[in-house]
Amino acid sequence: MFVDIATLHIKAGDGGNGCISFRREAHVPHGGPNGGDGGKGGDIIVAVDPNMNTLRDHRYRRRYEAKRGQHGQGSDKFGKAGEDTIIWVPQGTVVRHAETHEILADLTTPDARCVIAKGGKGGLGNARFATANNRVPRKATPGKPGEELDIILELKTIADVGLVGHPNAGKSTLLSRLSSARPKVAAYPFTTLVPNLGYVTLDGVQSFVMADIPGLIEGAHEGKGLGLDFLRHIERTKLLIYVIDGSTEDPQADFNILQTELREYRPELLARPALIALNKMDILPADYAPPDFGNLPVFPISAVTGHGTKPMLYEIIRQLNSIPPASETA
Ligand SMILES: Nc1nc2c(ncn2[C@@H]2O[C@H](COP(=O)(O)OP(=O)(O)OP(=O)(O)O)[C@@H](O)[C@H]2O)c(=O)[nH]1
Ligand SMILES: [Mg+2]
């Protein structure tokens, strides 16, 4: 499970002030009050953008303000309301009050939106205060301040598919090939130090979430390399993809090492539906015969060129569709 968190400071717009004004026309001796009301300040609204998948964009924009309402004017002109500010978030985002941790909104549907900070009401113009006894009211009220608070956005994503492989096998390359994620790729081991998530689309439809995690080596369960701790990120995936570098001396032995390490971490992981992405086919001879990996389906691919990935994607979708949805426990 990947948890994305962003803390934002938000300030709704202040209300505009009411206006004190009197009619001044040559032929009207005692002009009455005509000060208009101030406009309402803009609200801060949090709304779902179904195309967003992470809170990444909010890490850099920490402060949101909505426009203030305009002040009232003479001639009974009301101030214009301030424009609302919309903070776009991915579906599934929970909005909390940063201090009390109270849930302010839980945006579960693709069209969910919620006012999180209300704009201040506009003040009243003096036209409102005219009475039989007071025809020249010199009174107007100021606009109310807009609400201001710190909020925490929280998004929990469960990856559907986890990539498991040795360092340098091409996991990050595959993720960047299949999704818009841009994890670092380099020709040395342990390039990936923290897991990356990508949203894989097939035939233009968002299909599933794929997680790229750091490479595993023999002895990882004893702490070698980066250890096994990051496997918790893929513990709840429905499907595992073993990314095997087909150009190494013994891809079969590489695969066995991966399985041994997974078994050491959690034997249940071996029972999880899985398939093999036999990678780097572009640098192997055309007559290369894939070794035997037991019962698992093998897809010879090139993460660099994308060759062979489409049939693998169809198989992934097929398998995901045949797995009943996992019950949510956390
Ligand atoms: N020729 C070829 N090279 C590839 C392919 N896939 C990945 N590579 C190269 O292999 C190297 C490692 O790729 P990464 O995607 O960083 O590998 P990784 O599995 O994420 O590695 P770690 O993050 O270290 O665990 C890079 O130099 C890639 O360009 C492929 O299909 N063909
Ligand atoms: Mg990597």
Side-chain angles (χ1 to χ4, degrees):
M1 166 128 50
F2 295 74
V3 184
D4 237 356
I5 287 191
T7 305
L8 309 178
H9 183 80
I10 60 173
K11 161 98 178 68
D14 296 337
N17 298 333
C19 166
I20 298 178
S21 161
F22 297 93
R23 274 195 289 279
R24 292 183 204 287
E25 289 160 51
H27 51 279
V28 184
H30 299 289
N34 68 355
D37 297 347
K40 179 184 159 295
D43 296 332
I44 303 261
I45 295 170
V46 178
V48 169
D49 175 351
N51 297 316
M52 275 176 83
N53 303 310
T54 72
L55 293 171
R56 203 172 12 224
D57 297 345
H58 293 297
R59 302 222 181 102
Y60 308 104
R61 192 163 167 199
R62 295 257 157 91
R63 193 184 164 85
Y64 285 83
E65 270 182 37
K67 289 261 162 56
R68 68 164 306 140
Q70 283 177 6
H71 300 313
Q73 291 174 34
S75 312
D76 292 312
K77 271 203 204 135
F78 281 27
K80 262 204 203 139
E83 215 179 295
D84 297 336
T85 290
I86 300 183
I87 301 175
W88 296 103
V89 297
Q91 188 175 347
T93 299
V94 173
V95 185
R96 286 176 192 278
H97 194 292
E99 273 152 40
T100 64
H101 285 248
E102 179 198 352
I103 294 181
L104 303 177
D106 187 356
L107 304 160
T108 52
T109 57
D111 57 355
R113 57 167 55 210
C114 187
V115 174
I116 300 294
K118 278 209 188 84
K121 279 198 180 141
L124 300 178
N126 69 337
R128 302 262 186 193
F129 295 97
T131 60
N133 298 330
N134 182 4
R135 291 169 192 246
V136 281
R138 301 196 178 276
K139 181 181 172 188
T141 59
K144 295 267 187 320
E147 289 177 340
E148 182 166 8
L149 68 154
D150 287 335
I151 56 169
I152 298 172
L153 304 179
E154 193 180 85
L155 176 71
K156 290 184 182 159
T157 313
I158 296 171
D160 303 299
V161 173
L163 301 180
V164 185
H166 286 275
N168 254 342
K171 301 177 293 300
S172 302
T173 307
L174 183 61
L175 183 75
S176 61
R177 180 81 218 173
L178 299 180
S179 77
S180 58
R182 290 291 168 264
K184 188 172 169 196
V185 168
Y188 51 82
F190 303 118
T191 306
T192 303
L193 298 175
V194 292
N196 300 295
L197 272 193
Y199 290 76
V200 180
T201 53
L202 180 60
D203 300 333
V205 183
Q206 183 182 311
S207 310
F208 60 88
V209 180
M210 184 181 259
D212 161 37
I213 59 171
L216 272 179
I217 57 168
E218 186 163 24
H221 68 275
E222 292 159 343
K224 293 227 175 85
L226 297 173
L228 289 178
D229 200 30
F230 50 77
L231 283 176
R232 73 192 146 81
H233 292 286
I234 57 155
E235 247 167 65
R236 296 169 70 193
T237 58
K238 300 189 192 115
L239 181 78
L240 297 179
I241 299 183
Y242 294 99
V243 182
I244 308 285
D245 182 344
S247 71
T248 64
E249 222 166 275
D250 191 348
Q252 212 176 359
D254 294 343
F255 171 66
N256 292 338
I257 289 170
L258 292 177
Q259 287 219 310
T260 305
E261 294 302 325
L262 290 196
R263 190 180 297 115
E264 290 293 335
Y265 179 73
R266 231 158 250 235
E268 313 89 91
L269 283 177
L270 292 194
R272 184 115 355 138
L275 53 85
I276 290 178
L278 191 58
N279 193 28
K280 308 201 183 179
M281 285 297 122
D282 56 300
I283 49 169
L284 290 169
D287 60 354
Y288 174 82
D292 182 12
F293 292 103
N295 297 330
L296 296 182
V298 179
F299 291 85
I301 64 159
S302 166
V304 163
T305 67
H307 191 81
T309 53
K310 200 116 194 209
M312 182 175 78
L313 284 179
Y314 282 118
E315 174 62 13
I316 293 170
I317 301 278
R318 197 191 63 76
Q319 293 224 17
L320 288 177
N321 288 341
S322 66
I323 300 165
S327 60
E328 183 65 53
T329 48

